[in-house]
Amino acid sequence: MREKTVPGWLGAVLTLATYGALVWLENRRPLRRAVESKLRRNARNLAVATISAVSLQLAEQPFVRPLARRVEKQRIGLLKLFALPAWLEVALAIALLDYTLYLWHVLTHRVPFLWRFHQVHHVDLVMDASTALRFHFAELLLSVPYRFAQVLLIGVCPLALSMWQTGLLVEIMFHHSNVELPPALEALLGKLIVTPRLHGIHHSIVEDEVNSNWSSGLTIWDWLHRTLRTDVPQSAITIGVPAFLDPSEVELGEVLEMPFVRQRDPDFLPPREGN
Ligand SMILES: [Zn+2]
């Protein structure tokens, strides 16, 4: 059972169906107001996403699945020290992948070299399902060795890896989406998984708010680290990075070259017209 994987077609159907449903809901029940044309932003984000998806298909997928098969065969890693039933081992592997992704996310903000790349994801001035796919390809390439280390140290079998990869993609599209859910439903969901309002707080331009809600899947990691915030209404949030609030500075070319050019002072605020 542990050697099985989620079929590729199922992953693709789930991803496309989720994306389509979220875009439909975003049009019907938007959570935050748009400050840029949705079509233009989505086209840009999907262009960034395509380059990233191709990079991962070349640099990660051909190696990480065989690595998980080797982990399974040779019983490498933490979880392989115990003779756990398959369902428990898979559940623990997914939870530990999710927790170590929380740690990686904190690093991408705290380590200036990594922030150069992760910033590309945060400079989007509106957050919707397309933002979930808009990671600079170099950030994803930098995460590949980390992914290999996760698989080896935790002892992740192919089934846990493929379930986590499929579930994570669906979950990150959901929590980046600009969908207004009924507050009671969202509060309930937020006890378990990251929701659009929770992740909106992480994409705020306010430092205290960015430094919260780092989880990508389960909210328990933020809860355990006391970094969970639920107290900021979406209407009070400006999405983006303070140094890049002008839409003309976050066009496709600008965001692709952003990690490789001189970095702005984090407190830099562009001069307003008239001063
Ligand atoms: Zn972030």
Side-chain angles (χ1 to χ4, degrees):
M1 175 187 163
R2 295 175 176 93
E3 295 84 15
K4 290 207 170 75
T5 52
V6 176
W9 65 265
L10 183 60
V13 167
L14 275 174
T15 305
L16 288 173
T18 305
Y19 189 72
L22 290 170
V23 170
W24 183 72
L25 282 167
E26 282 172 343
N27 282 320
R28 284 181 66 104
R29 298 179 59 96
L31 176 63
R32 294 167 290 258
R33 67 195 166 82
V35 292
E36 240 191 312
S37 140
K38 187 171 174 74
L39 197 65
R40 195 177 164 78
R41 274 191 51 258
N42 284 14
R44 180 194 307 139
N45 288 355
L46 294 179
V48 176
T50 304
I51 303 171
S52 300
V54 171
S55 308
L56 278 190
Q57 283 304 323
L58 295 174
E60 180 175 317
Q61 284 305 72
F63 306 106
V64 76
R65 296 247 165 127
L67 190 65
R69 282 202 289 274
R70 198 163 157 189
V71 159
E72 184 55 36
K73 220 169 161 188
Q74 301 182 356
R75 302 197 60 79
I76 302 166
L78 176 71
L79 294 174
K80 297 296 185 193
L81 295 174
F82 314 96
L84 298 169
W87 66 268
L88 182 60
E89 188 195 308
V90 168
L92 286 174
I94 291 173
L96 288 172
L97 282 166
D98 198 46
Y99 178 56
T100 44
L101 185 64
Y102 170 99
L103 299 178
W104 170 254
H105 188 192
V106 174
L107 285 176
T108 61
H109 280 256
R110 298 269 194 251
V111 178
F113 176 73
L114 294 177
W115 172 246
R116 281 174 176 256
F117 302 92
H118 188 57
Q119 175 175 255
V120 171
H121 173 67
H122 274 267
V123 295
D124 206 354
L125 296 169
V126 183
M127 198 173 82
D128 65 16
S130 75
T131 314
L133 310 172
R134 169 216 167 102
F135 285 92
H136 197 283
F137 68 91
E139 175 179 358
L140 298 183
L141 291 178
L142 286 166
S143 73
V144 170
Y146 189 82
R147 188 86 60 248
F148 293 166
Q150 284 177 296
V151 170
L152 283 172
L153 295 174
I154 297 169
V156 179
C157 63
L159 181 62
L161 179 70
S162 69
M163 284 176 71
W164 178 67
Q165 286 178 320
T166 309
L168 180 69
L169 189 53
V170 168
E171 163 58 13
I172 64 169
M173 286 192 290
F174 167 65
H175 70 232
H176 284 92
S177 74
N178 191 20
V179 175
E180 191 196 15
L181 295 174
L185 171 67
E186 185 156 349
L188 193 68
L189 276 176
K191 303 243 182 274
L192 185 66
I193 57 167
V194 183
T195 64
R197 284 183 174 93
L198 288 176
H199 202 66
I201 299 174
H202 175 68
H203 273 256
S204 158
I205 59 168
V206 178
E207 202 180 341
D208 277 353
E209 294 167 12
V210 181
N211 293 331
S212 71
N213 300 359
W214 307 95
S215 296
S216 297
L218 303 169
T219 42
I220 190 172
W221 317 124
D222 274 306
W223 183 75
L224 287 172
H225 285 275
R226 297 172 192 272
T227 50
L228 184 68
R229 277 194 76 165
T230 56
D231 60 336
V232 190
Q234 298 298 301
S235 55
I237 295 173
T238 303
I239 301 277
V241 170
F244 295 96
L245 294 180
D246 179 349
S248 69
E249 292 190 304
V250 291
E251 297 278 358
L252 183 60
E254 279 77 8
V255 297
L256 285 176
E257 70 170 16
M258 196 171 272
F260 308 112
V261 296
R262 208 181 131 85
Q263 298 295 293
R264 285 184 182 168
D265 184 325
D267 300 322
F268 171 89
L269 277 174
R272 297 207 178 173
E273 269 170 50
N275 333 342

